[in-house]
Amino acid sequence: FNISEYNEFCTLPDNICVDANSEIVVEFSMLARASSLDKILKLLSFDFHLITAQNITFSKKFAEGKNTIESKFVSRNANVDVNFEGQPPVLVGEWFDIRLKLQSKEVADATKVEVTCWLRDGG
Protein backbone atom coordinates (compact mmCIF):
# COMPACT_ATOMS: atom_id res chain seq x y z
CA PHE A 1 0.00 0.00 0.00
CA ASN A 2 1.04 3.59 -0.39
CA ILE A 3 0.51 3.95 3.39
CA SER A 4 2.90 1.29 4.65
CA GLU A 5 1.30 0.84 8.08
CA TYR A 6 -1.56 -1.05 6.36
CA ASN A 7 0.71 -3.67 4.78
CA GLU A 8 0.55 -5.80 7.95
CA PHE A 9 -3.18 -6.44 7.32
CA CYS A 10 -2.58 -8.11 3.97
CA THR A 11 -1.13 -11.45 4.88
CA LEU A 12 -3.35 -14.50 4.89
CA PRO A 13 -2.87 -16.69 7.96
CA ASP A 14 -3.70 -19.90 6.10
CA ASN A 15 -2.92 -21.30 2.70
CA ILE A 16 -5.77 -21.06 0.23
CA CYS A 17 -6.61 -23.33 -2.64
CA VAL A 18 -7.92 -22.23 -6.02
CA ASP A 19 -9.40 -25.01 -8.10
CA ALA A 20 -8.82 -25.15 -11.85
CA ASN A 21 -11.14 -22.91 -13.88
CA SER A 22 -12.54 -21.22 -10.78
CA GLU A 23 -12.24 -18.00 -8.87
CA ILE A 24 -12.21 -17.08 -5.20
CA VAL A 25 -12.60 -13.90 -3.20
CA VAL A 26 -9.94 -13.02 -0.66
CA GLU A 27 -10.90 -10.51 2.02
CA PHE A 28 -8.68 -8.58 4.39
CA SER A 29 -9.98 -6.68 7.42
CA MET A 30 -8.23 -3.43 8.16
CA LEU A 31 -8.53 -1.18 11.15
CA ALA A 32 -8.66 2.40 9.90
CA ARG A 33 -6.44 4.71 11.89
CA ALA A 34 -7.28 8.31 12.78
CA SER A 35 -3.98 9.44 11.25
CA SER A 36 -5.27 8.26 7.86
CA LEU A 37 -8.33 10.54 7.83
CA ASP A 38 -8.80 12.23 4.43
CA LYS A 39 -5.96 10.21 2.90
CA ILE A 40 -6.33 7.83 -0.02
CA LEU A 41 -5.16 4.26 0.47
CA LYS A 42 -3.94 2.69 -2.78
CA LEU A 43 -3.01 -0.89 -3.49
CA LEU A 44 0.37 -0.63 -5.21
CA SER A 45 1.10 -4.30 -5.80
CA PHE A 46 0.45 -7.81 -4.62
CA ASP A 47 2.35 -11.09 -4.73
CA PHE A 48 1.28 -14.66 -4.48
CA HIS A 49 3.39 -17.75 -4.14
CA LEU A 50 2.73 -21.24 -5.40
CA ILE A 51 3.47 -23.79 -2.71
CA THR A 52 3.36 -26.68 -5.18
CA ALA A 53 6.16 -25.12 -7.24
CA GLN A 54 9.25 -24.00 -5.37
CA ASN A 55 10.43 -20.42 -5.73
CA ILE A 56 7.64 -19.26 -8.04
CA THR A 57 6.11 -15.93 -7.14
CA PHE A 58 3.63 -14.00 -9.23
CA SER A 59 3.63 -10.23 -8.81
CA LYS A 60 1.18 -7.60 -9.99
CA LYS A 61 2.11 -3.93 -9.83
CA PHE A 62 -0.46 -1.24 -10.54
CA ALA A 63 0.56 1.74 -12.65
CA GLU A 64 -0.56 5.14 -11.32
CA GLY A 65 -4.05 5.96 -12.57
CA LYS A 66 -4.49 2.69 -14.48
CA ASN A 67 -6.64 -0.05 -12.91
CA THR A 68 -5.79 1.27 -9.45
CA ILE A 69 -7.57 -0.03 -6.40
CA GLU A 70 -8.04 2.75 -3.89
CA SER A 71 -10.23 3.98 -1.08
CA LYS A 72 -10.42 7.29 0.78
CA PHE A 73 -10.65 7.41 4.56
CA VAL A 74 -13.49 9.73 5.53
CA SER A 75 -15.06 10.51 8.87
CA ARG A 76 -18.68 9.65 9.45
CA ASN A 77 -21.08 9.34 12.32
CA ALA A 78 -20.92 6.06 14.19
CA ASN A 79 -23.69 3.61 13.37
CA VAL A 80 -24.72 3.23 17.01
CA ASP A 81 -28.20 3.71 18.45
CA VAL A 82 -28.45 5.22 21.94
CA ASN A 83 -31.68 4.69 23.87
CA PHE A 84 -32.61 6.10 27.28
CA GLU A 85 -34.09 3.50 29.61
CA GLY A 86 -34.73 5.47 32.82
CA GLN A 87 -37.88 5.14 34.92
CA PRO A 88 -39.67 8.46 35.51
CA PRO A 89 -41.01 10.22 37.49
CA VAL A 90 -38.17 11.32 39.73
CA LEU A 91 -38.85 13.26 42.91
CA VAL A 92 -36.64 16.06 44.15
CA GLY A 93 -33.79 14.64 46.24
CA GLU A 94 -34.36 11.12 44.92
CA TRP A 95 -31.61 9.02 43.38
CA PHE A 96 -32.23 8.28 39.74
CA ASP A 97 -30.73 5.41 37.77
CA ILE A 98 -29.70 6.49 34.32
CA ARG A 99 -29.55 3.64 31.86
CA LEU A 100 -28.42 4.11 28.32
CA LYS A 101 -28.64 1.24 25.91
CA LEU A 102 -26.02 1.33 23.15
CA GLN A 103 -26.68 -0.83 20.13
CA SER A 104 -23.90 -1.04 17.57
CA LYS A 105 -24.75 -1.62 13.92
CA GLU A 106 -21.12 -1.40 12.86
CA VAL A 107 -19.34 -4.22 11.07
CA ALA A 108 -16.32 -3.95 13.40
CA ASP A 109 -15.97 -3.87 17.17
CA ALA A 110 -15.92 -0.46 18.86
CA THR A 111 -13.19 -0.10 21.47
CA LYS A 112 -12.46 2.56 24.06
CA VAL A 113 -16.07 3.79 24.02
CA GLU A 114 -16.72 6.74 26.31
CA VAL A 115 -20.18 7.85 27.41
CA THR A 116 -20.61 11.30 28.94
CA CYS A 117 -23.91 12.64 30.30
CA TRP A 118 -24.87 16.17 31.29
CA LEU A 119 -27.71 16.65 33.72
CA ARG A 120 -29.64 19.82 34.44
CA ASP A 121 -32.66 20.69 36.49
CA GLY A 122 -35.77 20.60 34.33
CA GLY A 123 -37.52 23.23 36.47
Side-chain angles (χ1 to χ4, degrees):
F1 290 103
N2 61 318
I3 304 173
S4 60
E5 62 191 277
Y6 289 97
N7 288 340
E8 67 185 88
F9 295 110
C10 284
T11 302
L12 291 174
D14 299 316
N15 296 327
I16 56 174
C17 181
V18 182
D19 296 328
N21 297 316
S22 68
E23 61 182 53
I24 63 167
V25 174
V26 179
E27 294 182 9
F28 299 99
S29 295
M30 297 187 184
L31 179 63
R33 298 190 169 117
S35 61
S36 302
L37 187 62
D38 292 328
K39 293 181 181 176
I40 295 176
L41 181 68
K42 296 180 183 179
L43 181 62
L44 301 177
S45 65
F46 67 85
D47 298 332
F48 66 92
H49 310 280
L50 291 179
I51 294 175
T52 55
Q54 284 188 335
N55 301 324
I56 295 180
T57 301
F58 293 92
S59 294
K60 170 70 176 172
K61 297 187 186 306
F62 296 98
E64 188 66 35
K66 186 177 182 181
N67 297 326
T68 56
I69 299 171
E70 60 185 45
S71 182
K72 184 174 183 177
F73 292 103
V74 296
S75 65
R76 63 169 175 78
N77 290 331
N79 195 4
V80 176
D81 289 339
V82 180
N83 295 308
F84 176 72
E85 294 186 343
Q87 296 295 322
V90 179
L91 302 175
V92 174
E94 183 179 48
W95 284 98
F96 178 54
D97 288 331
I98 297 174
R99 289 193 182 114
L100 297 177
K101 179 180 175 183
L102 303 168
Q103 182 180 10
S104 175
K105 296 179 181 176
E106 295 286 350
V107 295
D109 293 341
T111 58
K112 298 181 183 176
V113 175
E114 292 182 22
V115 178
T116 306
C117 296
W118 291 270
L119 300 175
R120 66 183 179 108
D121 188 354

